[in-house]
């Protein structure tokens, strides 16, 4: 059983990455373009361009969500996304109350940890990162090559 689950791990991680990226992208699209109900607290509207920190957070959500969804530059995009959500939690939500259930910061905390996991695991299957890595290897096996010290 463990062997089967381990062999499916890259695919499960790839699907996880796609779902997390899509959900994050949707938050950015809602705030920037007014789709999917619009920005929170605007009755279906958008955020004023350049307003700190909401508009910038929305741009990060849109761009990093799309990159993570595609599996392109996953680790870097996930690192930026995790940091932005940690900032959102500690600067916006945590001063209201200690626990995420009390301060409305559940999504920020979950996204931060979800993206932090992707920083350490990479894109998994179905990502463009893997496609470009195979092309850049050019048929070579980089793992078998000696490492220069």
């Amino acid at each position: 059983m463990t062997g089967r689950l381990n062999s499916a791990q890259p695919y499960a991680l790839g699907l996880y990455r796609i779902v997390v990226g899509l959900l994050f992208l949707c938050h950015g699209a809602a705030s920037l373009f007014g789709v999917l109900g619009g920005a929170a607290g605007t009755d279906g509207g958008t955020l004023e361009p350049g307003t700190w920190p909401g508009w910038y957070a929305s741009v990060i959500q849109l761009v990093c969500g799309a990159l993570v969804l595609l599996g392109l530059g996953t680790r870097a995009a996930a690192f930026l996304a995790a940091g932005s959500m940690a900032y959102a939690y500690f600067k916006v939500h945590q001063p209201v109350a200690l626990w995420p259930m009390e301060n409305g910061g559940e999504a920020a905390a979950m996204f931060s940890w979800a993206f932090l996991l992707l920083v350490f695991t990479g894109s998994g299957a179905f990502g463009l990162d893997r496609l470009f890595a195979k092309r850049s290897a050019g048929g070579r096996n980089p793992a078998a090559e000696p490492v220069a010290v």
Side-chain angles (χ1 to χ4, degrees):
M1 180 76 162
T2 301
R4 282 190 193 153
L5 291 174
N6 286 343
S7 67
Q9 186 176 7
Y11 305 104
L13 185 59
L15 292 173
Y16 170 84
R17 172 188 49 77
I18 289 167
V19 169
V20 170
L22 178 63
L23 293 173
F24 204 57
L25 179 147
C26 287
H27 276 276
S31 297
L32 293 173
F33 307 122
V35 297
L36 305 169
T42 63
D43 198 27
T46 61
L47 296 177
E48 187 69 32
T51 56
W52 178 259
W55 186 83
Y56 293 95
S58 298
V59 170
I60 290 171
Q61 290 167 354
L62 185 72
V63 172
C64 290
L67 290 172
V68 168
L69 170 68
L70 296 171
L72 184 60
T74 303
R75 290 178 193 251
F79 183 76
L80 180 59
S84 74
M85 289 294 96
Y87 176 88
Y89 181 76
F90 287 111
K91 291 299 270 185
V92 177
H93 298 285
Q94 199 275 330
V96 174
L98 178 62
W99 297 102
M101 289 289 292
E102 296 174 320
N103 64 29
E106 293 154 306
M110 287 294 290
F111 272 125
S112 184
W113 285 104
F115 284 118
L116 191 60
L117 177 65
L118 289 172
V119 169
F120 288 96
T121 61
S123 62
F126 316 120
L128 294 179
D129 286 342
R130 283 190 167 202
L131 179 67
F132 291 134
K134 286 179 185 175
R135 283 190 178 169
S136 68
R140 302 177 295 140
N141 183 0
E145 296 178 7
V147 177
V149 184

